[in-house]
Amino acid sequence: MSSFKGNVAGSLVLMMKSPIFSFYSFHLGRLWRAQPLVLCAVITSLLTLLVSAFVYFQQWQETNEAVSNLQRLVAETRRKPVSVTPDKSREVAVPDLPVFSSAELVDRVNQIAVGVGIPFDEVSYRLEAGASTPYLRYRVTFSTAAKYPLIRRFIDQMAMNLPHTTLDEISCSRDDIPAAALSCDLSFSAFFHKDGHG
């Protein structure tokens, strides 16, 4: 330990004796005597620049991590098995889907959003009734600007309270790096019995 301290002290002494150290010490001392305010402003600007760069890098890392987590969530949701009940008359498994009611779906989605605390923008509901499919598909798309934990909570609540819905797509960006909110476009699909009405 003592040899390490001795090495550090020796290195400091050598550095202080170097011509470069003497050069900068001389000119900084001269600038301090001639223009102390200018020197203070330069040092403050450098420190501000370093802090800003650190904050920018940290926010950039958090944004990338949040987007990666949301993309992983989409992949997990797509792999989630659909609950099915057997149709014994045909011996074929059919999805256990609710009767179609657009008003009820809109109300439930709005309740979940209000409960979580995320705002909606550019909401779109579109019914797709393919002739070759045994179900109705109701697409719900919207934009929102919220923090990552709120968006994640909303997706979890949708899966918990509306198990016949799936998260189809999500894309997020952050225009202003220091901002805490992500701007996201989300797309869900809700599935219903084809003979239902609402």
Side-chain angles (χ1 to χ4, degrees):
M1 187 69 177
S2 60
S3 63
F4 175 75
K5 289 181 179 178
N7 289 338
V8 171
S11 298
L12 287 173
V13 168
L14 286 175
M15 187 179 70
M16 292 175 69
K17 289 182 177 180
S18 69
I20 295 175
F21 182 81
S22 301
F23 176 80
Y24 283 117
S25 297
F26 172 74
H27 285 288
L28 284 174
R30 219 172 111 196
L31 181 60
W32 174 256
R33 287 189 295 275
Q35 297 286 342
L37 293 178
V38 172
L39 184 60
C40 288
V42 169
I43 292 173
T44 303
S45 300
L46 288 174
L47 289 175
T48 303
L49 182 64
L50 287 173
V51 170
S52 300
F54 175 76
V55 170
Y56 177 89
F57 179 72
Q58 190 176 24
Q59 293 291 337
W60 178 78
Q61 272 190 322
E62 288 177 3
T63 301
N64 282 348
E65 185 179 347
V67 171
S68 298
N69 288 338
L70 288 172
Q71 288 173 344
R72 186 167 59 251
L73 180 63
V74 171
E76 289 172 2
T77 304
R78 287 180 178 166
R79 288 197 300 267
K80 183 178 68 174
V82 178
S83 173
V84 294
T85 55
D87 182 355
K88 296 190 177 177
S89 62
R90 296 183 181 180
E91 296 298 330
V92 177
V94 295
D96 183 17
L97 300 175
V99 174
F100 175 63
S101 172
S102 59
E104 183 180 348
L105 177 67
V106 171
D107 287 343
R108 293 290 300 277
V109 172
N110 287 335
Q111 287 172 5
I112 293 171
V114 170
V116 171
I118 68 169
F120 277 178
D121 190 20
E122 301 176 11
V123 186
S124 156
Y125 296 92
R126 182 164 49 95
L127 179 61
E128 294 180 0
S132 60
T133 57
Y135 54 81
L136 295 174
R137 184 177 190 171
Y138 202 51
R139 286 188 177 273
V140 183
T141 59
F142 63 90
S143 301
T144 186
K147 293 182 179 179
Y148 167 72
L150 291 182
I151 296 171
R152 178 63 190 258
R153 195 176 309 147
F154 173 77
I155 294 170
D156 290 342
Q157 288 297 317
M158 285 284 290
M160 185 183 303
N161 293 287
L162 298 171
H164 61 289
T165 63
T166 61
L167 176 63
D168 295 334
E169 188 177 354
I170 183 169
S171 60
C172 297
S173 63
R174 180 181 283 165
D175 297 331
D176 186 11
I177 290 296
L182 291 170
S183 298
C184 295
D185 296 317
L186 294 95
S187 174
F188 288 87
S189 286
F191 299 93
F192 299 92
H193 278 304
K194 198 162 193 176
D195 57 353
H197 299 283

